[in-house]
């Protein structure tokens, strides 16, 4: 059995690390705000004061952070991940970052003798708690196979897309669809309401139609009450759509729906909905049409 490390105990990371602990694994935890490890430490995780110490003590270290800057910080600072890597150590980055940054980080880890997997996840708080995420992997297949028992505790399916960067590319692809669907539901509700239809009946219509999805079902009550507690924060969706725009530009592909969604989510973030669930893009659409 490997010794495991977990770096990043925010909304998703805490739930994911908890599943490893519940399965009986020894897990060292680190967060830049150390107080955020308290819940995990209370149930048996080992508090660790630096990312360097995590990597020194653990065979496999997982990272779950909010963005590229956060990952770069824990990798490269004086007491960071790179300072603790020795040959054979595996670093599994489950954060949502660009494919290019994943490739850069993989090279940095490789130079120290370690192995880097980009393994972002599709799914939010509910699937994270239930261990039902979809894990999207780029990097060495043998390292992926070594990590598979732990991926099986975190998710319902692991898909290996190829070399480093391909897992991150897959995550941007699925999150593009997520962002577009979120805006699409909001626009549907707005059009119906402007036509004088009762929102409850419109929600029921969607639920009974071929357009019903687990995503919509999970957010239906939010639309009903116009209260949007975050399962996936809107500001993270806005961040991801920015990464998608950068990726589309690099690949010279035109994505008009992605462009429109990016502008709406960024506007919603700037108007105070950043910490709300991504479904709160509906409120931004209403605000724009409050004429």
């Amino acid at each position: 059995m490997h010794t495991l490390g977990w770096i990043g105990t925010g909304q998703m990371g805490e739930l994911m690390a908890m599943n490893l602990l519940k399965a009986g694994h020894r897990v060292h935890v680190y967060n830049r705000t150390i107080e955020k490890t308290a819940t995990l430490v209370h149930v048996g995780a080992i508090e660790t004061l630096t990312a360097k110490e995590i990597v020194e003590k653990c065979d496999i270290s997982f990272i779950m952070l909010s963005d590229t800057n956060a990952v770069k910080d824990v990798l490269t600072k004086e007491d960071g991940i790179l300072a603790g890597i020795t040959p054979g150590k595996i670093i599994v980055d489950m954060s949502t970052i660009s494919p290019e940054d994943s490739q850069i980080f993989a090279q940095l880890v490789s130079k120290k003798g370690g192995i880097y997997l980009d393994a972002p996840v599709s799914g939010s708080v509910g699937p994270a708690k239930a261990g039902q995420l979809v894990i999207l992997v780029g990097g060495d297949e043998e390292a992926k196979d070594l990590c598979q028992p732990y991926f099986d505790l975190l998710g319902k399916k692991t898909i290996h897309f190829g070399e480093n960067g391909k897992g991150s590319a897959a995550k941007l692809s699925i999150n593009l669809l997520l962002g577009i669907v979120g805006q699409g539901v909001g626009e549907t509700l707005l059009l119906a309401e402007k036509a004088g239809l009762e929102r409850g009946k419109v929600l029921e219509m969607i639920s009974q139609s071929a357009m019903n999805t687990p995503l919509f079902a999970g957010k239906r009550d939010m639309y009903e009450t116009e209260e949007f507690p975050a399962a996936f924060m809107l500001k993270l969706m806005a961040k991801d759509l920015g990464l998608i725009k950068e990726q589309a530009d690099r690949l010279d592909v035109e994505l008009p729906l992605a462009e429109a969604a990016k502008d709406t989510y960024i506007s919603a973030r700037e108007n105070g909905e950043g910490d709300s669930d991504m479904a709160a893009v509906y409120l931004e659409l209403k605000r724009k049409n409050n004429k």
Side-chain angles (χ1 to χ4, degrees):
M1 184 180 294
H2 300 100
T3 302
L4 307 179
W6 197 278
I7 298 170
T9 57
Q11 188 181 33
M12 291 284 287
E14 180 181 291
L15 295 170
M16 296 166 73
M18 187 70 76
N19 284 336
L20 298 177
L21 286 165
K22 287 178 178 177
H25 292 289
R26 183 180 177 88
V27 183
H28 295 255
V29 295
Y30 168 74
N31 196 76
R32 292 177 299 169
T33 305
I34 198 67
E35 293 80 10
K36 290 186 177 181
T37 64
T39 299
L40 292 168
V41 171
H42 181 70
V43 296
I46 302 163
E47 183 180 89
T48 309
L49 298 180
T50 67
K52 177 177 182 286
E53 186 182 353
I54 284 268
V55 178
E56 287 174 338
K57 292 182 175 179
C58 300
D59 306 304
I60 302 172
S61 300
F62 297 86
I63 308 171
M64 188 59 163
L65 295 168
S66 59
D67 57 31
T68 296
N69 289 335
V71 177
K72 184 177 181 180
D73 180 58
V74 299
L75 271 172
T76 62
K77 63 183 179 180
E78 186 176 350
D79 57 358
I81 289 169
L82 293 176
I85 289 179
T86 51
K89 299 283 188 177
I90 298 176
I91 308 299
V92 182
D93 188 1
M94 310 192 85
S95 316
T96 300
I97 61 177
S98 74
E100 287 71 24
D101 285 324
S102 291
Q103 291 167 346
I104 290 168
F105 296 154
Q107 291 169 3
L108 292 174
V109 170
S110 179
K111 286 178 182 178
K112 300 286 287 188
I115 303 167
Y116 175 99
L117 298 177
D118 44 295
V121 301
S122 180
S124 56
V125 169
K129 185 174 182 178
Q132 292 291 296
L133 297 164
V134 179
I135 300 169
L136 316 170
V137 183
D140 182 80
E141 189 165 11
E142 289 186 10
K144 189 275 293 183
D145 290 343
L146 283 174
C147 295
Q148 192 62 59
Y150 313 112
F151 290 154
D152 288 343
L153 296 172
L154 302 174
K156 63 182 179 180
K157 181 69 176 179
T158 302
I159 305 173
H160 184 236
F161 284 90
E163 67 267 22
N164 284 121
K166 291 295 179 67
S168 293
K171 177 60 187 288
L172 295 187
S173 300
I174 192 64
N175 271 22
L176 170 56
L177 183 58
L178 174 63
I180 290 171
V181 169
Q183 176 148 337
V185 173
E187 291 188 15
T188 296
L189 293 176
L190 181 62
L191 178 65
E193 289 172 17
K194 289 290 186 180
L197 304 180
E198 294 179 25
R199 188 190 310 167
K201 291 182 179 180
V202 175
L203 293 169
E204 180 64 16
M205 173 183 71
I206 297 171
S207 294
Q208 296 300 321
S209 76
M211 298 299 103
N212 190 32
T213 64
L215 176 69
F216 175 77
K219 299 185 186 300
R220 176 175 171 170
D221 287 347
M222 296 184 189
Y223 296 117
E224 188 81 65
T225 63
E226 292 198 8
E227 295 179 359
F228 295 90
F232 178 46
M233 286 189 285
L234 185 145
K235 65 184 178 184
L236 297 179
M237 186 76 256
K239 180 265 293 184
D240 292 352
L241 286 163
L243 292 176
I244 289 161
K245 167 63 175 171
E246 293 171 6
Q247 179 78 341
D249 289 345
R250 281 190 290 266
L251 297 174
D252 193 26
V253 57
E254 186 174 339
L255 302 174
L257 292 179
E259 187 77 34
K262 174 182 69 69
D263 291 345
T264 308
Y265 282 94
I266 288 174
S267 180
R269 181 189 65 194
E270 291 174 350
N271 283 309
E273 298 298 340
D275 290 333
S276 302
D277 188 80
M278 55 154 288
V281 71
Y282 165 61
L283 299 179
E284 179 63 15
L285 294 165
K286 286 188 71 172
R287 186 192 65 81
K288 286 183 174 183
N289 285 277
N290 188 19
K291 303 172 184 177

